[in-house]
Amino acid sequence: MSVASLRRAARESVSGLPREFWWLWTSTLINRLGAFVATFMTLYLTHERGYSASYAGLVVSLHGLGGVVSSLGAGVLTDRLGRRPTMMIAQTATAFSVALLGFMTDPAAIVAVAFLVGMASNASRPAVQAMMADIVKPADRMRAFSLNYWAINLGFAVSSAGAGFVAQHSYLAGFLGEAALTLTCAILVFLKLPESRPEPTSAVREKGREPEVGLGTVFRDGRFMGVVGLSFLISLIFQQGYVGLPVAMGADGFSSADFGLAIAVNGVLIVAVQIPVTRAIEHRDPRRLLIVSALLAGYGFGLTAFAGSVAVYAATICVWTLAEIVNSPTQTGLVVRLSPVHGRGRYQGVYTMSWSVAALVAPLMSGYVVDHFGADWLWAACAVLGTVAAAGYWLLMRDLDGGEDVVAGVSAPERADLRTDAVA
């Protein structure tokens, strides 16, 4: 491919998106550049503070539990209070709680503050996703979600290397650095991002109130909750790259440096091919994409049972990373399509909860299976979960093509709103 072709492809990948999206994208990138606590929490507690691995596991689990708790509350706030104020509150709370965690020495205090950090750091996600759906045209949403996911991984790739260097000199500096960058995100949101919560339609204005969408409405939405359940399975598989894989490689005699070298392939590959892959799949059948990504995730991890060198481990990581690249923007776009416009925050909150619960369950799952049956059974379980998820996507979305739920990337509630305003 010529340089001119590459430039044209890059221009087409980023063109047509509103300015507000790019400020939101920048905020995401800055936030991920400061990802220190989630990456180095275990090392900080065991190496720097001298606590046991069991205590470190408890703290990490409670950090994840905080994310589970906040997902629902943040979703409600996103719809009631607005996207912008929810993000500002969450990011400001994250900044101060992360800074506070760096000064905690008492075990009980560390547990409590880590739980607060988990709550605060996860609370902005429903608002970010809802705002992105608000400001980006339906036809461009998959591309927008992909670019945002690319920013997440680019920021994480850079921060992992930089934070590792910082941690060698001062863990406290890492905590304060994350706090400063997260506070910068809050300031950026305050200065550059207007509120995007959709205005009531003409029909709603005549009735005097919006249709009621509570959490009960979300949990009674069978198709959407099916997507949430499948998202949990997929997330449970992907989490093994960070909880099961290092344990298995360590048991095979590989060092932490070997694991770091292998897992770096994940971030490098996402940064390198996320955008071109999204261009290739942007207008393809989402059902097929989700089925294929589920199978690639499950069997990509399943192949890990046959790995005996760093190169083979890296090759298996390439397989499930491709699944991650395809699944993330496709599934996020599906969630938006199934969400009513005036309930996006709650729907995104419940969807976010599926990933938070998986992050909480995955360490327990991998530890139990590896301890009692061996790592090969863990990878076999991943293959089974991937197969189950693929079958679930097929059953859940078998009438998606040409169905009434999705037409040209516009959800049924959006089409109803458009028709109502056109008549008015």
Side-chain angles (χ1 to χ4, degrees), residues 150-351:
W150 184 77
I152 290 171
N153 284 277
L154 176 62
F156 182 75
V158 174
S159 72
S160 295
F165 176 78
V166 171
Q168 288 182 339
H169 295 82
S170 170
Y171 277 93
L172 179 59
F175 284 100
L176 296 179
E178 177 170 348
L181 287 171
T182 307
L183 192 58
T184 300
C185 291
I187 295 171
L188 183 64
V189 170
F190 175 73
L191 294 176
K192 296 295 184 180
L193 284 174
E195 177 56 53
S196 68
R197 185 170 51 171
E199 293 293 329
T201 63
S202 300
V204 170
R205 286 193 295 269
E206 290 175 5
K207 293 178 181 179
R209 65 182 182 89
E210 295 182 355
E212 189 67 30
V213 178
L215 286 175
T217 307
V218 183
F219 289 121
R220 289 191 298 270
D221 188 336
R223 173 175 256 182
F224 176 77
M225 290 308 299
V227 171
V228 170
L230 295 173
S231 169
F232 168 75
L233 293 183
I234 292 295
S235 179
L236 200 59
I237 296 171
F238 286 139
Q239 287 289 332
Q240 299 310 321
Y242 306 95
V243 294
L245 187 60
V247 173
M249 289 186 69
D252 285 343
F254 294 98
S255 66
S256 58
D258 292 329
F259 168 71
L261 182 63
I263 201 63
V265 172
N266 173 256
V268 170
L269 196 60
I270 289 175
V271 171
V273 306
Q274 176 78 60
I275 294 176
V277 167
T278 300
R279 281 177 52 81
I281 67 174
E282 190 171 4
H283 301 294
R284 296 186 181 275
D285 179 2
R287 178 182 63 179
R288 294 180 181 178
L289 293 176
L290 289 170
I291 291 172
V292 169
S293 67
L295 292 174
L296 284 174
Y299 288 94
F301 276 99
L303 290 172
T304 309
F306 304 99
S309 67
V310 174
V312 178
Y313 275 111
T316 65
I317 290 171
C318 287
V319 176
W320 58 259
T321 297
L322 182 59
E324 190 178 355
I325 289 170
V326 173
N327 181 272
S328 179
T330 307
Q331 187 162 250
T332 305
L334 176 62
V335 169
V336 173
R337 292 173 177 182
L338 297 178
S339 307
V341 175
H342 49 275
R344 279 178 180 154
R346 290 173 173 85
Y347 273 71
Q348 288 291 346
V350 173
Y351 171 64

Side-chain angles (χ1 to χ4, degrees), residues 141-151 274-275 278 325 329:
R141 281 176 187 158
M142 184 172 180
R143 182 157 53 100
F145 291 137
S146 179
L147 286 167
N148 191 67
Y149 193 65
W150 184 77
Q274 176 78 60
I275 294 176
T278 300
I325 289 170

